[in-house]
Amino acid sequence: MPKFLHVLTAAAMIMTFTQPATATAQAGTTYYVDATGGDDSTSGIDEAHAWKSLGKVNETTFHPGDRILLRAGQRWTGQLWPKGSGESGAPITVDRYGEGGKPRIDGAGQAGDAVRLFNQEFWTIRNLEVTNEVPPTGTPGENLRDLRGIHVSGDNSQTLDGFVIDAVDVHDVTGQVNWIGGSIAGNAPGIRFQTGWDGSKKTGGIVFDTTVPDIHAPPDKATVLNDVVIQNSTVANTSFAGIVFKQYTGDGKNDAGETIATATSPPGSPRWG
């Protein structure tokens, strides 16, 4: 399978369309998570009372200025999807604490996204190791699935602002390979052709995209991701894309290459994508 290696240095990739006004920094609560010494029944608000599981984090709605700190050198299997949104000047931050290597989030092919945000904004994700790999089988490509390392998305027809991905290492994501065109006669395990723009370029190490709640009745207004920074990070050994930015257009295809979605704009009007 193809391999990709991308090394990003400070401000190597910045997508900024409008810069939100700076607000006074808002103090939040710091939560600690320890995979070996934590306990989900505790408060999580100091190292001695750290939470243990991703599940506890995922069921919590965080607020502007909050920090979620994962203990260095620890590993979690599954998906990290904390809820809530920050605000300008007071993002919600995921980071590490303590000495040791970057805390590891391993999707292990059990979740489409090892780290996920959806219809959320003002988040900083820093100092994580992220992977999402299905082990190979005896058939090449059979382990490729609809997988991503870090995935930021939305479908609420709003502008979602303020994302920073900093000092993360994403690797070994066995995402399936979907091509916009070509012939479906070339389809093979883990590789599909004639998927259209919406079906293609949707797996990889770090994916920023938007979608719609119903592909047969898309809303009039697009969801927009604005003010995105990816820096000081690496993406390595992904079976398809390294870093993806895309917006839904309405050209989704079925397995026969036939369009099954409704375009997002009337004929003669600019399409979202």
Side-chain angles (χ1 to χ4, degrees):
M1 68 184 67
K3 299 287 188 179
F4 293 82
L5 174 60
H6 307 263
V7 179
L8 303 168
T9 57
M13 178 170 289
I14 301 177
M15 295 188 66
T16 302
F17 303 102
T18 60
Q19 184 67 38
T22 301
T24 302
Q26 176 175 329
T29 302
T30 298
Y31 297 88
Y32 297 84
V33 191
D34 182 342
T36 58
D39 182 344
D40 287 344
S41 67
T42 61
S43 66
I45 61 174
D46 58 56
E47 294 184 37
H49 299 88
W51 292 337
K52 181 181 181 68
S53 71
L54 296 182
K56 180 65 175 180
V57 177
N58 295 346
E59 70 184 20
T60 303
T61 298
F62 297 93
H63 303 283
D66 284 354
R67 297 195 303 159
I68 306 160
L69 302 185
L70 307 179
R71 185 176 176 184
Q74 300 291 302
R75 295 187 175 194
W76 289 262
T77 299
Q79 182 183 72
L80 174 63
W81 183 6
K83 308 309 189 291
S85 288
E87 61 186 30
S88 180
I92 302 170
T93 299
V94 178
D95 205 337
R96 66 177 171 183
Y97 75 97
E99 299 297 325
K102 294 177 181 179
R104 174 170 170 152
I105 307 298
D106 185 353
Q110 300 174 10
D113 312 316
V115 179
R116 175 176 173 84
L117 297 173
F118 192 81
N119 287 336
Q120 296 164 260
E121 60 183 342
F122 294 108
W123 279 82
T124 295
I125 298 173
R126 179 176 288 127
N127 290 317
L128 296 185
E129 177 189 358
V130 178
T131 184
N132 201 359
E133 179 181 25
V134 176
T137 68
T139 302
E142 192 174 57
N143 64 324
L144 303 185
R145 310 283 170 78
D146 185 24
L147 302 176
R148 288 150 293 277
I150 298 174
H151 187 198
V152 178
S153 187
D155 69 353
N156 62 2
S157 298
Q158 303 296 314
T159 295
L160 303 173
D161 291 296
F163 302 95
V164 176
I165 309 294
D166 181 32
V168 302
D169 297 319
V170 183
H171 61 89
D172 296 294
V173 178
T174 51
Q176 63 189 7
V177 179
N178 294 330
W179 297 109
I180 296 173
S183 170
I184 61 173
N187 286 357
I191 302 175
R192 297 170 62 238
F193 292 88
Q194 280 287 340
T195 64
W197 169 252
D198 292 332
S200 71
K201 299 179 175 64
K202 62 183 293 185
T203 68
I206 301 174
V207 177
F208 280 80
D209 65 11
T210 61
T211 184
V212 295
D214 182 352
I215 65 171
H216 303 294
D220 294 331
K221 185 178 179 182
T223 304
V224 176
L225 300 175
N226 178 61
D227 191 19
V228 177
V229 177
I230 301 174
Q231 62 186 11
N232 306 316
S233 299
T234 64
V235 179
N237 296 332
T238 59
S239 55
F240 192 43
I243 297 174
V244 174
F245 286 85
K246 60 180 292 185
Q247 184 165 291
Y248 183 86
T249 65
D251 72 343
K253 305 288 196 297
N254 61 18
D255 288 342
E258 302 166 332
T259 301
I260 59 173
T262 301
T264 52
S265 298
S269 299
R271 296 178 67 182
W272 291 357

